[in-house]
Amino acid sequence: MAAQKKTRGLGKGLDALFGDVEVKVKRAEETPEAEGASEDASSGREGINYIDINHIKPNSNQPRKTFDEEKLNELADSIMSHGLIQPVVLRAAGRGYEIVAGERRWRAARRAGLKEIPCIVRELSDEENMLLAIIENMQREDLNPIEEAEGLNQMIETYGLTQSEVSKSVGKSRPYITNSLRLLKLPEKIRGFVSEGSISAGHARALVSVEDEERQEAIAEAVIRDGLSVRQIEKMAQEKKASGRKSPASRSKPADVRSLEEELKDVLGTRVNLSQRGKKGKIEIEFYSREELERLIDLLKTLA
């Protein structure tokens, strides 16, 4: 498979980007045309070019979607004091250049007011461009867990790599790749919690074992509110599975019952289960920690 052949050398990671570079300063004063960009790409293998920062655009396949504003400002301050020490890696793209590795440095350099920055220009295919962008970010631990999982999944879905090939390319174990990809099974709301750092990747992986999406979200909110541990989530998931095996399959509830459950959930801030037989029934209110139980008790007392 072509994808296999192209990625054999990618496990070298950043060595593949910088390994044969001589520090030889060149300056690109004019906006490069398509042909000029190709010429610079060839000469870029020989050394470092100083390129107009406005002739550079971000990588559309960049796996990293979020940038910490505070850290960007800190890097910009450092660049103003000491300059941009590590070059940005580019490839020719039309009338300019596209970033392969170093978008954070490029963003910070813009904030620092630099007009041109040191760059290494490489000839790369779309596949090599995307893969090296993922590898560079992962080696620097610049991606949040969801961005990392989406990048790894793109390597598999878009370019047909196996998990084993991905493992070798990014220098991570096969179980690490599998566990990372599991995060993409979570609802969008929980993936958002992980991306913003409200819950850890460990909590998120434990939530994958919780079968009901609504319950996953309720537990995730309890993690943020009450600080549940990963072990507590795993225990709750196991208990739910055990109780599910003992009880018969539940029949679908009438719309008015489901509507009432939603109203109670909004009032109490946790999942509520309403069951009814004839004129009798019961209301089950779920809680996921001692702290949440105490909160519910206090709330019910106020209602009384």
Side-chain angles (χ1 to χ4, degrees):
M1 185 170 63
Q4 294 177 2
K5 292 180 181 178
K6 289 181 182 178
T7 55
R8 282 178 184 169
L10 291 175
K12 293 185 290 183
L14 299 185
D15 289 341
L17 297 177
F18 299 108
D20 59 348
V21 173
E22 296 178 23
V23 181
K24 191 181 295 183
V25 176
K26 298 185 178 182
R27 296 184 181 274
E29 303 292 349
E30 305 296 332
T31 303
E33 301 293 338
E35 295 82 359
S38 297
E39 291 173 5
D40 284 341
S42 298
S43 64
R45 283 195 302 272
E46 300 173 2
I48 295 175
N49 298 297
Y50 275 77
I51 294 176
D52 188 320
I53 200 165
N54 293 315
H55 299 164
I56 301 168
K57 64 180 181 179
N59 185 345
S60 58
N61 287 318
Q62 159 73 272
R64 187 178 186 187
K65 307 302 180 187
T66 58
F67 294 83
D68 186 293
E69 290 296 317
E70 184 177 347
K71 290 183 178 179
L72 269 180
N73 288 331
E74 289 175 357
L75 181 56
D77 290 341
S78 174
I79 290 172
M80 281 190 283
S81 299
H82 308 290
L84 183 59
I85 298 172
Q86 186 174 3
V88 174
V89 182
L90 310 175
R91 69 169 182 164
R95 296 176 62 85
Y97 299 93
E98 182 180 62
I99 297 171
V100 176
E103 181 173 340
R104 181 170 169 269
R105 276 167 275 148
W106 172 75
R107 287 173 179 264
R110 291 181 70 91
R111 294 192 182 193
L114 269 62
K115 302 300 182 185
E116 55 183 17
I117 58 175
C119 302
I120 299 168
V121 184
R122 291 298 202 193
E123 290 184 20
L124 298 170
S125 67
D126 288 344
E127 179 179 350
E128 291 168 333
N129 178 31
M130 188 274 291
L131 293 176
L132 286 172
I134 293 172
I135 291 167
E136 193 255 358
N137 278 287
M138 288 189 67
Q139 288 187 351
R140 298 181 189 281
E141 299 182 347
D142 277 350
L143 302 177
N144 69 54
I146 298 301
E147 290 173 335
E148 182 177 277
E150 289 173 342
L152 295 172
N153 189 59
Q154 190 177 7
M155 294 172 75
I156 294 169
E157 296 296 326
T158 305
Y159 297 103
L161 275 67
T162 65
Q163 286 196 22
S164 178
E165 289 169 336
V166 171
S167 172
K168 292 176 182 177
S169 291
V170 300
K172 300 287 186 180
S173 69
R174 178 73 180 276
Y176 181 97
I177 303 300
T178 301
N179 282 328
S180 180
L181 293 172
R182 290 178 70 213
L183 298 180
L184 300 182
K185 297 179 180 179
L186 291 167
E188 183 177 351
K189 182 176 182 179
I190 298 178
R191 294 202 301 270
F193 289 154
V194 179
S195 294
E196 66 191 25
S198 297
I199 66 175
S200 70
H203 285 99
R205 285 191 293 270
L207 284 169
V208 175
S209 301
V210 178
E211 296 175 353
D212 180 77
E213 181 175 316
E214 186 179 344
R215 190 161 184 262
Q216 284 178 327
E217 293 182 358
I219 296 174
E221 290 167 356
V223 169
I224 298 170
R225 184 176 58 246
D226 303 322
L228 299 185
S229 68
V230 173
R231 179 71 65 181
Q232 284 175 297
I233 298 176
E234 292 171 344
K235 184 178 179 181
M236 287 156 54
Q238 292 169 359
E239 289 173 350
K240 188 67 177 179
K241 288 180 180 179
S243 64
R245 287 194 294 267
K246 293 174 184 176
S247 57
S250 59
R251 290 171 287 185
S252 60
K253 295 178 180 178
D256 59 333
V257 174
R258 293 199 302 272
S259 177
L260 183 56
E261 286 179 340
E262 285 299 314
E263 289 182 27
L264 290 171
K265 177 185 175 185
D266 291 339
V267 171
L268 299 174
T270 189
R271 189 179 180 192
V272 176
N273 181 55
L274 179 62
S275 58
Q276 186 175 5
R277 290 184 181 180
K279 295 182 179 181
K280 296 182 178 182
K282 62 180 179 180
I283 298 175
E284 295 179 342
I285 303 171
E286 294 192 3
F287 61 90
Y288 310 107
S289 68
R290 178 70 184 180
E291 291 78 8
E292 186 168 25
L293 173 60
E294 292 174 354
R295 179 186 69 81
L296 288 168
I297 291 172
D298 290 340
L299 179 58
L300 292 171
K301 284 179 178 179
T302 62
L303 294 175

